[in-house]
Each structure stands twice: as C-alpha cells, then as structure tokens.
Amino acid sequence: MSSNQPFFHLFRTRNNHYIYDVNKDLFVKVPSKTYENLKVTKGLSDNNYASEAWDDDVLNKLKEQGFLSCNRAEEIINPVDESIESYINNAVTMITLQITQQCNLRCSYCTYSGNYLNRTHSNKEMELETAKKGIDLLIRNSKGLDSVNVGFYGGEPLLRLDFIKECISYAKKIGEGKLITFSMTTNGTVFTDE
C-alpha cells in the first residue's frame, strides 16, 4: 500500500460491513456500498469505478471526522527511551530463573503441555553457574533499590529443591545489604514439610 492511501482494514460479518481505521484505532460500521467502494480503493475489487469510490456521502463524512487518513508513523519513540539505560543499569527489580523444564504433571491447559506450538516439557535444566550469573546481574543492576526479587520457574521448580536452596544462599551472600525476596511458580503437588 502506498503512503498516500488511507490506512484502514476491511471486515465483514454475515449481516454487516466494517472498517478498522488504524490511525483512530476504531471500528466503524458502514453501508455495503461504502464497503464496496473502499474495496476498490484498496485494490481488492475487480470493479473499475475507482473514480467514483470517494464520491460517497458516508466516506466524505468519515473523512470530515478525521477517519481514513494517510498518516503513517515514520518513527516510534518510547517515552522511556532516554532513561532506559539508567533503568537497566540501576533499577532492575527482579529476575525469574527457569531452572527446569521438567514437570511431574501434564495439564492440558498448560502452555508447555505440548498442545501449543511454543514448547513442550523436556529434561533441560539450568546450570548453577548460569543461575549465579543471573543473580549477579540482578544485584549489579539494582544499585538504586533497597529490595529485589529472585523468582523460580519451570516446569516444576520444586523438582530441584536443592538447586533453589543453593541459589537462595548465593543471592543472600552477594546481596549487598538488600532485602531479597524469593518467589516461585509451582503446581504445589510436591510440597513436603521441608
């Protein structure tokens, strides 16, 4: 689509016709004639009445209201762009360590159950040196904070309780006087008194 074409998408249901105006971020219900005229302007129709396409009262009214603009962003700037480096170097609040992909359950609703495209459970486990590097990064990059959090995630992290204990001990050792809290995502089925 050329940059001088309006920035919209067409949608249709069984009984209605809609446009989605990208710049306004709004859906608008339109008559079928207007919908067909917009198909012509987008090159989605074999009809050859493109010159008539914009001679449509509904389209003219939409344009008066600021719809169907040709504006396209050339550059998107995040409001925190100028401060992101300082934040990354001084205000990282937490790290979550995926310490294992093993799990003692295979819940069908779980995103790791194998019913989704992104991942299945495996025997992969995080090495202690990798976890220590992550904890080091958290402590080093949280200079401006009094407290941080180390999270444990899996699979089922409690299948590696000894690993978790080593990580906690290491974090407390290098924590530089910070309050370090710990959290875990668990299915709760392997809890023991310990």
Side-chain angles (χ1 to χ4, degrees), residues 3-188:
S3 60
N4 63 352
Q5 293 249 338
F7 203 9
F8 66 91
H9 300 284
L10 298 169
F11 297 92
R12 185 177 169 180
T13 62
R14 184 172 13 170
N15 298 317
N16 295 301
H17 300 81
Y18 302 90
I19 64 168
Y20 170 68
D21 188 285
V22 174
N23 290 312
K24 287 233 180 219
D25 193 24
L26 291 172
F27 288 91
V28 179
K29 183 178 171 185
V30 295
S32 61
K33 176 190 172 204
T34 302
Y35 180 87
E36 291 301 321
N37 286 342
L38 286 169
K39 278 176 64 176
V40 171
T41 65
K42 286 190 77 90
L44 301 173
S45 174
D46 293 330
N47 295 330
N48 292 325
Y49 53 94
S51 61
E52 300 173 14
W54 289 101
D55 189 20
D56 179 315
D57 291 338
V58 174
L59 289 178
N60 290 332
K61 185 166 182 140
L62 287 170
K63 286 176 73 176
E64 287 172 13
Q65 295 172 351
F67 288 89
L68 303 169
S69 166
C70 301
N71 293 338
R72 284 175 170 66
E74 291 181 23
E75 181 180 11
I76 297 174
I77 298 173
N78 190 306
V80 298
D81 276 359
E82 293 180 16
S83 59
I84 193 75
E85 190 172 334
S86 174
Y87 177 82
I88 290 171
N89 291 330
N90 299 299
V92 176
T93 59
M94 71 175 299
I95 188 168
T96 301
L97 304 172
Q98 182 185 22
I99 63 174
T100 183
Q101 290 185 357
Q102 295 179 40
C103 184
N104 59 319
L105 299 178
R106 293 294 183 269
C107 303
S108 61
Y109 58 82
C110 177
T111 58
Y112 307 124
S113 66
N115 293 331
Y116 297 82
L117 299 176
N118 58 342
R119 194 189 93 181
T120 59
H121 293 291
S122 74
N123 290 327
K124 291 180 182 177
E125 293 185 336
M126 180 179 281
E127 295 181 17
L128 184 58
E129 287 309 308
T130 302
K132 286 181 177 181
K133 286 179 183 178
I135 294 167
D136 289 342
L137 180 135
L138 174 67
I139 300 303
R140 181 177 61 247
N141 293 27
S142 61
K143 295 177 190 94
L145 303 174
D146 295 330
S147 64
V148 293
N149 178 268
V150 177
F152 300 100
Y153 185 74
E156 174 50 53
L158 285 175
L159 296 175
R160 298 195 69 202
L161 183 59
D162 290 339
F163 184 89
I164 292 170
K165 288 178 182 179
E166 287 184 65
C167 291
I168 290 172
S169 176
Y170 182 75
K172 287 180 177 180
K173 177 180 163 187
I174 67 155
E176 300 179 6
K178 293 184 184 298
L179 170 64
I180 303 176
T181 58
F182 301 93
S183 59
M184 183 180 316
T185 302
T186 176
N187 61 35

